[in-house]
Amino acid sequence: MLKPKIVLSIKNLSKKLGNREVLKNVNLDLERGDIIGITGKNGSGKTTLLRIIIGLFYPSSGDVIIEGKKLTPGLLGNLPTNVSALIENPTFLPEFTGFQNLKILASIRNKISDEDIKNTMDLVGLSPSNRKNVSKYSLGMKQRLGIAQAIMEKPGLILFDEPTNALDSDGVKIFNDIVHNMSKNGTSFIMVSHKKEDIYTLCNKVYKIENGELNIIHNQKEWRIVVDDLVDLENLLRLYPKGNVMKRINGHPSVIYKNDWENSAQIHEVLNKNKINTISIE
């Protein structure tokens, strides 16, 4: 059975905190593999929206539908089962190691093995055999562990709130690679960040919350450009340096770009003018 293309649908959602309407009539559709970024000032409602999606807050009105099921928050509600999140600062049991913390969390659903946990820790750059308790972790190590708990069960939807906080440049690259690769395999992401480089490097759609309203401000499509040879690749990267070089396609170099080009004909025209030979653009 094919999985639905729309992973998350938010319909006419509003949220009041006290007398203040933090979110006003928010509508959003998230497709499988989408990476959506949300920006806005402190207190604009970004984190509140994530908390509603994960089922920690009730909306005042409106609906959240995840993979066709209407979300009902609360202990007796219909909470999402294929969603994970890293919201604000990650908190763990300080007297246990990183591996022990993840193993405790994984025991709730019993979906993954110890080997899966170890592989995830390796992926984020943490040693699963490290006997250091989390109380002695640096802020960057705690952030990596938080990312590990969010991705380890390979959920269909992941929510990240300021995911690169305290990460060094290597940690940021690891995080970007993880998001990119998981997106390619169908995982969808909503990411809240004050860092423009996080949002515009990774996200194919960017929204802004202002005065409680959610409006799209940037919509990029992902394009795969396959060129003839390494000379064309070098010229392409000189012309557009912000591409991700991918595996060869039938022996030809390929590059992924996120850009607001309207269609492939527009790209062909530019590349032809610069004498860059292309095999395909899609």
Side-chain angles (χ1 to χ4, degrees):
M1 185 178 184
L2 291 176
K3 294 182 177 180
K5 187 176 181 181
I6 300 295
V7 175
L8 168 70
S9 186
I10 298 175
K11 298 183 182 296
N12 305 317
L13 186 144
S14 296
K15 176 64 178 178
K16 283 187 176 181
L17 293 175
N19 294 324
R20 179 177 167 231
E21 194 170 27
V22 179
L23 299 171
K24 301 176 185 177
N25 199 37
V26 169
N27 289 276
L28 176 68
D29 283 335
L30 181 70
E31 295 185 2
R32 192 161 301 282
D34 263 347
I35 308 172
I36 285 182
I38 299 178
T39 66
K41 296 179 180 178
N42 288 339
S44 61
K46 304 184 300 296
T47 300
T48 297
L49 181 59
L50 296 188
R51 289 181 179 276
I52 290 173
I53 294 169
I54 201 70
L56 296 176
F57 278 5
Y58 291 85
S60 300
S61 61
D63 295 322
V64 176
I65 301 167
I66 299 177
E67 294 186 336
K69 295 180 180 180
K70 182 178 175 180
L71 175 67
T72 307
L75 293 176
L76 300 178
N78 179 27
L79 297 176
T81 58
N82 197 27
V83 182
S84 69
L86 174 57
I87 297 178
E88 298 182 328
N89 298 320
T91 302
F92 296 98
L93 298 173
E95 68 273 22
F96 293 102
T97 67
F99 175 78
Q100 288 169 334
N101 268 276
L102 295 186
K103 186 173 173 62
I104 291 168
L105 290 171
S107 69
I108 297 171
R109 292 180 178 171
N110 285 319
K111 290 178 63 176
I112 58 174
S113 65
D114 286 0
E115 195 64 27
D116 293 325
I117 297 172
K118 291 176 182 178
N119 290 338
T120 303
M121 292 188 72
D122 285 333
L123 188 62
V124 301
L126 293 175
S127 171
S129 60
N130 189 340
R131 293 184 174 276
K132 182 187 293 186
N133 289 343
V134 169
S135 62
K136 297 179 181 178
Y137 272 25
S138 67
L139 291 176
M141 292 175 71
K142 288 179 181 177
Q143 193 70 12
R144 291 184 189 226
L145 192 63
I147 293 168
Q149 67 83 21
I151 68 172
M152 64 181 181
E153 293 181 338
K154 297 181 174 61
L157 172 60
I158 302 178
L159 314 177
F160 279 123
D161 187 2
E162 304 293 349
T164 61
N165 269 357
L167 292 183
D168 57 17
S169 58
D170 287 342
V172 172
K173 184 181 185 307
I174 287 171
F175 175 76
N176 290 350
D177 288 345
I178 287 170
V179 172
H180 183 81
N181 291 331
M182 291 185 73
S183 170
K184 283 295 180 187
N185 290 317
T187 302
S188 305
F189 294 87
I190 297 179
M191 190 179 307
V192 166
S193 179
H194 289 97
K195 298 179 182 178
K196 288 186 177 180
E197 59 269 28
D198 286 353
I199 294 294
Y200 288 98
T201 297
L202 283 170
C203 300
N204 59 293
K205 296 176 185 176
V206 181
Y207 292 80
K208 184 176 183 179
I209 296 181
E210 193 169 22
N211 298 321
E213 297 178 348
L214 181 73
N215 295 301
I216 192 163
I217 59 173
H218 196 64
N219 189 359
Q220 289 185 325
K221 182 176 177 180
E222 190 168 87
W223 298 90
R224 180 186 292 272
I225 300 177
V226 181
V227 295
D228 190 28
D229 56 29
L230 291 176
V231 174
D232 292 310
L233 175 64
E234 183 178 351
N235 291 334
L236 175 61
L237 292 174
R238 186 178 294 118
L239 184 63
Y240 296 111
K242 293 185 178 180
N244 291 318
V245 179
M246 307 300 287
K247 291 182 180 178
R248 286 175 172 258
I249 305 296
N250 296 324
H252 299 287
S254 70
V255 187
I256 293 288
Y257 285 97
K258 286 179 178 174
N259 201 299
D260 54 4
W261 290 312
E262 292 183 5
N263 51 55
S264 59
Q266 182 184 29
I267 308 171
H268 269 297
E269 183 180 356
V270 174
L271 299 189
N272 286 340
K273 284 182 180 179
N274 288 275
K275 298 181 179 180
I276 297 172
N277 299 311
T278 58
I279 302 299
S280 65
I281 298 174
E282 57 186 30

